[in-house]
Amino acid sequence: MNYTRNNYEEHALDYLEGRMTEEQSNRFKHFLVSNPDIYNEVVELKLVYLTPDLSVQFPDKQRLHQTQSNGSPFRMWYAIAAALIILISFVFLLSQPQSTQPTELVEGSSMEEVDPRIEGLQENSPTLLESDLAEVDLGTEQRADDVVKAIKSEPKGEEIINQGSTHRFFAKIDPLIETISVEEAVHQDAERQIDFAKNEVTNEKIETDPSLDRNSFPVLDQLPMTDLTESVLDYELKRGEKLVAISEAEVESDRSTIGKLLASINLIPSGLRDLDKDEIREKVMPEFIASRD
Amino acid sequence: MNADHYNQCVHEYSDKLYRFAVSLLAHEMDAEDVVQGVFERLWKRHDKVDFRAAKTYLFTSVHRACIDQFRKRKTEREVKDKLMVAEPYMPDRRMEDRQYIEELLKRLNENQKSLVLLRDYEGYSYEEISEITGLTLAQVKINLFRARKKLQIFLSDCVIQN
């Protein structure tokens, strides 16, 4: 190998540390003699070597030692942390309230029938705030459950629940209890309103209660809970079911029943309260229109 | 490698690794963290690491960890380097050896520091240093030569000033 000014750095240490063959060493010496500046540079390097300060030692070396053949000392802590996370998650899940299952109340109903309508309600209800949606009044939910149970406990109430059109009403009410905002009750006495609904279902004569302002629910009495934007035709095409024409009397009966049920649990979709009654008849109540046609 | 082998590594190499890291980082706490982290990783992989290769594994890991530390502190180090250039070092006769070595090492870049320490402190061959640092054999020799040249110039300046 020829030593040059371009490659001497790679070989200088081998020369100084005696790791060259005799022939290589002689050739490198020849190169150094030919380049005096590099000669001085290389020879002086012999002086500079560092020695470690042995007083510098790792503190508390014992903590690095291991006694187990498997696993790291941190594995146990990882396992404890994982167990705690699982335990906390389990407790959190158990602490969550059980939601009302509408399909248990009404056979043949499904959430798929209800969700599009709820979305429609939300889109067409400018006063329905997200904060309202986020809040679920557990007390109201419980009262609604009580109402349904109370109705089912009555002979005619069970019959109404299993009827066709009312069947749909119940299927549509329950998701509202879970998802749509609940306004502050106009009438705080829930027990009295439950009795009111029960009396209505059983066709018992309702005693006039002056404190119950029925004008507070003008929309609810005519609310069959369908998509605001759907026409009768759209409704039938979308749902794949033919709307059943029912008599005015039945409509009135259904409306009053569902209105009172909603009233009893203080469910008033706020976005619907301001709608014109005629508009509701056209857009909100396809069943009503169908029955008139 | 079993637990006995691992503990033997702790006994034989922890101080050397710590000195290596302290010299590279010039920071005892950081060096302690680096060495502890390296031994934790070795224990996690102890069943996959051959005891005979453990020393190289440990020094390689510490070297890489220190390089990572250097990168994190790059801006700070650049400022320090500029300050060092601006203020010539005045050797103190009472200075301890360790401080003296630290002052010497400050004149080197990260790679040069590693090479000098591995060679002078641990007596590694150039081939082993190449394996630990990931540099080619030629790069190791050239960088080490330049590092020693820097140290020589620094020492010459100290002699002249004294």
Side-chain angles (χ1 to χ4, degrees):
Chain A
M1 173 179 284
N2 290 326
Y3 300 109
T4 67
R5 297 183 74 88
N6 292 328
N7 70 6
Y8 77 95
E9 289 179 302
E10 183 180 344
H11 306 284
L13 291 176
D14 288 336
Y15 170 76
L16 291 171
E17 294 171 355
R19 284 182 287 104
M20 282 183 166
T21 64
E22 188 174 349
E23 181 189 354
Q24 287 173 330
S25 179
N26 288 333
R27 291 170 65 182
F28 196 77
K29 280 180 189 174
H30 184 265
F31 165 76
L32 291 177
V33 170
S34 304
N35 298 274
D37 55 327
I38 296 176
Y39 176 86
N40 291 332
E41 178 185 332
V42 171
V43 170
E44 286 175 353
L45 273 179
K46 288 181 182 178
L47 302 174
V48 187
Y49 286 91
L50 300 182
T51 53
D53 181 356
L54 298 179
S55 66
V56 179
Q57 295 184 340
F58 187 84
D60 193 14
K61 194 185 301 182
Q62 194 60 33
R63 66 188 153 109
L64 297 178
H65 283 99
Q66 300 290 342
T67 55
Q68 299 173 349
S69 58
N70 290 317
S72 77
F74 306 98
R75 181 171 294 179
M76 180 181 71
W77 294 108
Y78 292 152
I80 290 173
L84 281 175
I85 290 170
I86 292 171
L87 182 64
I88 291 169
S89 303
F90 188 65
V91 170
F92 177 77
L93 288 175
L94 283 180
S95 66
Q96 296 302 302
Q98 297 292 322
S99 60
T100 305
Q101 297 297 322
T103 51
E104 293 179 2
L105 296 174
V106 183
E107 293 179 5
S109 300
S110 67
M111 292 299 289
E112 287 74 12
E113 292 178 333
V114 178
D115 286 343
R117 177 190 50 73
I118 294 174
E119 291 171 7
L121 281 174
Q122 293 172 0
E123 289 168 4
N124 291 278
S125 304
T127 57
L128 203 60
L129 302 176
E130 287 187 9
S131 57
D132 294 327
L133 292 172
E135 295 178 2
V136 175
D137 186 340
L138 297 180
T140 304
E141 187 176 343
Q142 184 61 45
R143 274 178 276 156
D145 195 38
D146 290 340
V147 170
V148 174
K149 287 179 180 176
I151 294 171
K152 291 182 74 172
S153 67
E154 298 292 336
K156 290 188 178 181
E158 184 72 25
E159 183 182 338
I160 287 175
I161 288 177
N162 292 327
Q163 284 175 355
S165 58
T166 313
H167 182 113
R168 271 204 304 281
F169 284 146
F170 274 93
K172 293 164 186 172
I173 291 170
D174 289 326
L176 283 176
I177 296 171
E178 294 181 4
T179 57
I180 292 184
S181 66
V182 179
E183 289 192 351
E184 189 62 32
V186 177
H187 307 284
Q188 297 293 335
D189 189 347
E191 291 296 330
R192 186 177 69 241
Q193 293 183 42
I194 291 171
D195 291 338
F196 176 81
K198 286 166 61 179
N199 291 335
E200 184 70 10
V201 170
T202 54
N203 288 329
E204 291 178 9
K205 185 177 181 181
I206 303 171
E207 293 182 2
T208 303
D209 185 348
S211 67
L212 185 63
D213 181 11
R214 296 189 63 186
N215 291 329
S216 300
F217 317 105
V219 174
L220 293 173
D221 281 350
Q222 303 175 58
L223 181 64
M225 313 301 280
T226 58
D227 193 330
L228 288 171
T229 61
E230 283 182 330
S231 66
V232 175
L233 182 60
D234 290 338
Y235 182 93
E236 290 180 348
L237 289 174
K238 188 173 180 180
R239 313 294 175 107
E241 62 182 37
K242 185 75 176 176
L243 292 173
V244 179
I246 55 177
S247 68
E248 282 285 346
E250 287 173 327
V251 169
E252 183 61 30
S253 174
D254 288 338
R255 290 210 313 267
S256 59
T257 300
I258 192 63
K260 290 180 179 63
L261 281 171
L262 286 169
S264 69
I265 58 175
N266 302 321
L267 263 179
I268 308 170
S270 57
L272 298 179
R273 297 188 80 183
D274 300 329
L275 290 178
D276 181 73
K277 187 176 291 185
D278 292 336
E279 189 178 357
I280 292 171
R281 286 176 182 276
E282 291 176 6
K283 294 184 177 178
V284 184
M285 299 183 61
E287 291 98 335
F288 179 75
I289 296 170
S291 68
R292 289 202 302 183
D293 295 338
Chain B
M1 178 191 297
N2 57 30
D4 291 338
H5 287 147
Y6 168 85
N7 289 329
Q8 190 176 338
C9 287
V10 171
H11 178 70
E12 290 186 13
Y13 305 133
S14 59
D15 289 339
K16 293 179 178 179
L17 290 166
Y18 181 63
R19 279 194 289 272
F20 180 49
V22 167
S23 299
L24 281 176
L25 298 173
H27 194 284
E28 293 182 356
M29 291 291 288
D30 286 351
E32 193 176 330
D33 289 343
V34 164
V35 172
Q36 182 170 334
V38 165
F39 272 107
E40 285 171 7
R41 283 197 293 277
L42 174 63
W43 178 246
K44 283 179 183 174
R45 302 187 58 198
H46 71 279
D47 53 343
K48 298 174 184 171
V49 177
D50 186 354
F51 175 59
R52 290 167 296 185
K55 184 181 178 185
T56 301
Y57 172 87
L58 287 166
F59 273 93
T60 302
S61 300
V62 168
H63 170 74
R64 289 176 181 168
C66 289
I67 293 297
D68 288 342
Q69 282 277 350
F70 276 129
R71 287 171 181 160
K72 289 177 186 173
R73 305 186 319 199
K74 187 176 180 182
T75 305
E76 182 183 354
R77 190 181 66 252
E78 284 175 352
V79 171
K80 282 184 179 178
D81 288 347
K82 287 177 182 174
L83 289 175
M84 290 304 299
V85 171
E87 299 173 9
Y89 172 65
M90 298 297 291
D92 185 343
R93 290 182 183 278
R94 294 169 298 177
M95 181 178 283
E96 299 293 334
D97 286 348
R98 182 178 160 192
Q99 289 176 282
Y100 189 68
I101 291 171
E102 284 177 2
E103 289 299 330
L104 284 173
L105 292 174
K106 281 180 183 175
R107 269 68 187 171
L108 307 178
N109 65 34
E110 296 87 38
N111 270 332
Q112 289 172 339
K113 266 187 214 176
S114 293
L115 298 177
V116 169
L117 293 169
L118 290 170
R119 180 67 181 170
D120 292 359
Y121 280 23
E122 302 305 322
Y124 273 117
S125 69
Y126 295 136
E127 288 78 8
E128 289 171 324
I129 293 173
S130 171
E131 185 182 348
I132 290 171
T133 59
L135 300 173
T136 65
L137 189 58
Q139 286 173 328
V140 168
K141 290 179 178 178
I142 292 170
N143 273 293
L144 199 49
F145 175 77
R146 290 176 179 172
R148 296 204 187 287
K149 204 159 66 175
K150 278 188 185 177
L151 296 178
Q152 171 63 37
I153 292 170
F154 173 68
L155 285 173
S156 298
D157 290 345
C158 291
V159 171
I160 291 170
Q161 287 168 10
N162 281 335

